[in-house]
């Protein structure tokens, strides 16, 4: 179990993460403009508002994060499922070939929660229930035959 209140306190709302000026701003803006959520899946996800939370470990330098974090914002806006971001992730240059999460990330500035979730690749999108139990995760990207919203729905429906 994870402490939801502590995770919320140590993360930021997805809209603030996306809105912060950075080298990723243009990519975030374009993805928000171009991506269309699947309406049937989105409607089904609405049932999980207040019952599930999404926490994305992210870095603005990460191409997969630039693609997926804006979609998480669209999902939040359309469904009411709260999305928070644990950002500022940096690789530890002293460990170019890490074998464990605690060797891969430079903490700080990377959030220490990376170790609790055993994050090795980002984005790592953790799906938690209202008690803080991790129901599943999307790592890097959804499978090629599914959208992000479809994978999230599959995780929630199988829990």
């Amino acid at each position: 179990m994870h402490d939801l209140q502590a995770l919320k306190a140590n993360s930021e709302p997805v809209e603030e993460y996306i809105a912060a000026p950075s080298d990723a701003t243009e990519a975030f803006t374009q993805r928000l403009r171009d991506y269309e959520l699947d309406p049937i899946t989105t409607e089904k996800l609405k049932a999980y508002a207040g019952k599930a939370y999404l926490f994305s470990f992210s870095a603005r330098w990460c191409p997969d994060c630039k693609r997926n974090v804006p979609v998480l914002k669209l999902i939040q806006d359309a469904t009411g499922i709260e999305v928070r971001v644990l950002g500022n992730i940096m690789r530890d240059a002293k460990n170019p070939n890490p074998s464990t999460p605690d060797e891969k990330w430079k903490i700080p500035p990377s959030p220490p929660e990376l170790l609790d979730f055993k994050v090795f690749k980002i984005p790592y999108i953790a799906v938690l229930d209202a008690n803080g139990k991790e129901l599943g995760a999307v790592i890097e990207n959804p499978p090629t035959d599914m959208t992000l919203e479809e994978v999230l729905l599959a995780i929630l429906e199988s829990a």
Side-chain angles (χ1 to χ4, degrees):
M1 293 285 195
H2 298 281
D3 183 341
L4 277 178
Q5 295 309 317
L7 282 170
K8 287 180 182 183
N10 294 332
S11 61
E12 62 185 305
V14 66
E15 58 273 7
E16 289 179 17
Y17 181 79
I18 288 175
S22 73
D23 293 343
T25 301
E26 186 177 329
F28 286 158
T29 302
Q30 183 172 346
R31 185 70 165 162
L32 285 168
R33 185 177 52 245
D34 295 345
Y35 191 86
E36 291 186 35
L37 293 171
D38 174 66
I40 295 170
T41 304
T42 303
E43 190 61 34
K44 291 177 183 177
L45 281 170
K46 288 180 182 180
Y48 296 96
K51 299 175 187 172
Y53 299 87
L54 305 177
F55 288 88
S56 179
F57 291 87
S58 181
R60 290 182 176 91
W61 51 262
C62 168
D64 294 330
C65 297
K66 290 177 187 178
R67 273 191 301 279
N68 290 310
V69 172
V71 176
L72 291 173
K73 181 189 180 317
L74 294 172
I75 290 169
Q76 175 183 271
D77 292 350
T79 67
I81 296 173
E82 185 175 353
V83 179
R84 309 278 304 182
V85 178
L86 293 113
N88 302 316
I89 295 175
M90 291 180 60
R91 290 186 179 121
D92 188 346
K94 294 178 182 176
N95 291 303
N97 297 307
S99 59
T100 63
D102 59 333
E103 295 176 346
K104 183 165 186 160
W105 309 113
K106 183 160 178 53
I107 300 173
S110 299
E113 292 86 356
L114 285 160
L115 303 178
D116 296 336
F117 282 85
K118 297 178 178 46
V119 175
F120 202 76
K121 295 179 179 183
I122 59 172
Y124 182 99
I125 304 163
V127 181
L128 277 60
D129 70 10
N131 296 316
K133 178 182 176 188
E134 188 171 356
L135 305 175
V138 180
I139 302 169
E140 289 187 304
N141 289 297
T144 55
D145 61 337
M146 296 178 81
T147 64
L148 182 54
E149 59 269 27
E150 288 171 337
V151 175
L152 294 172
L153 180 60
I155 292 169
L156 289 164
E157 287 181 336
S158 68

